[in-house]
Amino acid sequence: MPSPAVNQWPRWLRITVVGIATAAVISGGWLAYRYFAKPVYLTVAAGSLDGEALSLISAISARLAASNAHTRLKVVDSRTSAKASELLASGNADLAVVRGDTGGLADARSVLLLTHGVVLIMSPSTTRADSLGDLRDATIGVVGGPVNRPTVDALKQVYQFDRAKVRFQDVAITEGAAALSSGQVQALLAVVPLTEKYLAKVRQFFQPAGAKGEAPKLIEIESAGAVANVAQYYESYDIPKGTLRGSPPIPSDDLTSLRVSFFLVANKSVDADTITDLTQSLVDVRRDLLSQYPILAQAAAPSTDANALIPIHPGAATYYNGNQQSFLDKYDDKLYYGSLLLGSLISVILAAWRFANSGGGSKSKLEPLYELGSEIRNARSEAELEQTERRIDDILREELARSAGGEGADGEMAALGLAAQRLHYLMQQRRTVLRSSQRTGD
C-alpha cells in the first residue's frame, strides 16, 4: 500500500507520475522492437573487369531490399577480385565476391558458389598445335592481364614454356581481337563462365568489327590434372563438345581444360545467424533473378568438406544442412523470459493503478467501523463512548444515503449492519465495565 505521505499527494500528481512511467515503459518497448526488427546491413565488395560481378550483386541487393529481407547488402565496387579480397581481410567489407585463386582468403568463409570460370586457350583454326604442350615459339595473350596471372603461374609449374619458347603477354579485353589479327599474339587465354553471354564475347575475338572472321580453335590443357594437383584452387574440367560453336562443333569432342570457382564469401567473424538468414534469402532471390541473370543457374552450395578450398561459413552450413532451428527452438528462452517480463509489467501496472487511486477515500466504511472497535475497548469514560457512538451513527447515516442513491451494494449494507451490531454490543460491555469500576471506586 502507498505510504501515508504518498496518500497526501494530489490525485492529478499521482496520475501524472503513473502516466510518465507508463509512457517510459511503452517507449522502451517500442525502441527495443525497432532495434531487433530493423534490417541488418552487410557490406559486400564486388568487382570484375567487365562489370558483371558488380551488376549481379547490385541486382541481388535491390531484390533483397524490395522483398523486405531482414539481412540486406550494401554494395562496394572493388573493381577486381583481388581488391575485394583485400577489403574483406582489412575489415572494410563483411562479404566479397572472389575467385578461388585470389590470395588473402585466410579469414574468408564461403556462403554461396556463384559460378565456375573455365580456362579457354583459343587460337586461329590454322594453328597446328592441338594441345598446350604442342605449342612452340608462340605468344599467348592473357586477356585481363593481372587478373589471370595466377592461372599462368599455375600452368608454368607443369609446362616447360621456356624450353618451348612460349611467352605470355597481357592483353586488354578490348584489344584481344586486334592482337590476334595483327599477329602480335598467336593465341588468347581467357577465364570465363560457360554462358552464352560470355561465349559471345569470346567469339568476337575472331570476328572483329562484325566481319566474318576465321573460326577459332580451342587448345587442350592435356596436363590439367597435374596443374590441379599443384594449384588446388583449380580442377580439371572437360569442356563439352560444341560449346563454342554448334555446327561444325567447336570443340569437335570433349576437351580437357581447367576451371576455377567464384564464391560469395563472408568474413569468419560475421554472426552465424545473420549468414544463415542471408543464405536463405539468396536462395530465394536466385529463383527470382534467374531469367534476368542466367549465370545464376550455376549457383550452388559450396563444399562442406573440412578440407575445402574455402571452408564454409557455419551460418551457411546450418542452412544447407537443414539444421535451421524453428521459431520456438530459436526463441524459446526469449519467449520464456518475455512472459515473465510481461507478468511483471502487468503487476507494475496494477500497482500503479492502485497508486493513482490511493488516498481517494474508501467506498465502504467497514474499515473505519473496525477501527472504532479498538477505540471502544480503550474508552475511559462514557463521554468517549457517546462520542464514538455519534461517529457510528454518522457512518451509518452516510451509507444509508449512498444506498438510497443506488451507489451501495446489498452485501455491503448487510456487512455494515452486522458491524454496527457488533460495535453496539462492545459499547454495552464497555459501559458495564466503566460503571462497575466507578462503583468500586466509590
Side-chain angles (χ1 to χ4, degrees), residues 377-392:
R377 294 187 185 92
N378 297 324
R380 297 182 179 182
S381 65
E382 289 196 33
E384 292 183 9
L385 289 176
E386 291 176 357
Q387 184 180 1
T388 302
E389 189 172 14
R390 285 193 294 272
R391 291 172 60 189
I392 294 174

Side-chain angles (χ1 to χ4, degrees), residues 43-306:
T43 301
V44 53
S48 58
L49 294 178
D50 58 1
E52 289 298 318
L54 182 65
S55 175
L56 174 62
I57 295 301
S58 296
I60 292 175
S61 175
R63 188 62 186 176
L64 290 175
S67 62
N68 292 321
H70 180 64
T71 305
R72 303 182 191 179
L73 302 178
K74 179 182 178 182
V75 183
V76 175
D77 184 4
S78 63
R79 305 284 183 180
T80 64
S81 174
K83 183 61 177 178
S85 175
E86 292 177 9
L87 292 173
L88 185 77
S90 64
N92 292 318
D94 305 301
L95 304 162
V97 176
V98 297
R99 245 170 70 163
D101 56 1
T102 302
L105 298 178
D107 293 332
R109 298 295 181 265
S110 60
V111 175
L112 183 68
L113 193 159
L114 290 171
T115 186
H116 297 284
V118 178
V119 179
L120 300 181
I121 300 179
M122 304 155 287
S123 67
S125 58
T126 55
T127 302
R128 294 183 179 182
D130 293 324
S131 64
L132 188 58
D134 293 337
L135 279 179
R136 295 289 184 274
D137 194 18
T139 299
I140 300 176
V142 181
V143 179
V147 162
N148 290 322
R149 194 162 293 148
T151 305
V152 175
D153 292 340
L155 293 173
K156 286 181 176 179
Q157 295 185 63
V158 174
Y159 289 93
Q160 303 295 321
F161 292 123
D162 291 339
R163 181 178 301 177
K165 296 182 179 180
V166 174
R167 300 164 296 278
F168 292 89
Q169 177 179 322
D170 292 347
V171 174
I173 295 177
T174 56
E175 299 174 355
L180 269 177
S181 61
S182 66
Q184 183 180 355
V185 299
Q186 287 71 52
L188 291 175
L189 182 152
V191 181
V192 297
L194 295 186
T195 63
E196 182 55 34
K197 183 173 185 177
Y198 282 96
L199 291 175
K201 293 180 180 181
V202 168
R203 297 186 193 105
Q204 290 177 1
F205 292 140
F206 297 87
Q207 296 175 353
K212 185 176 180 180
E214 191 173 11
K217 177 179 183 178
L218 290 181
I219 303 296
E220 183 176 29
I221 305 177
E222 74 280 13
S223 299
V227 176
N229 286 334
V230 298
Q232 296 183 357
Y233 30 78
Y234 294 104
E235 59 180 328
S236 179
Y237 176 74
D238 289 338
I239 301 174
K241 174 183 177 180
T243 293
L244 201 56
R245 191 175 70 180
S247 180
I250 301 175
S252 58
D253 201 354
D254 291 354
L255 191 78
T256 302
S257 186
L258 294 166
R259 74 175 183 179
V260 61
S261 300
F262 287 80
F263 295 95
L264 175 66
V265 298
N267 192 291
K268 64 181 182 182
S269 63
V270 179
D271 178 67
D273 288 340
T274 300
I275 295 299
T276 301
D277 182 71
L278 174 64
T279 305
Q280 181 174 1
S281 298
L282 289 175
V283 173
D284 294 338
V285 166
R286 171 184 173 272
R287 291 192 293 266
D288 298 335
L289 296 178
L290 193 56
S291 59
Q292 184 179 356
Y293 292 91
I295 195 172
L296 287 174
Q298 300 181 13
S303 173
T304 58
D305 293 342

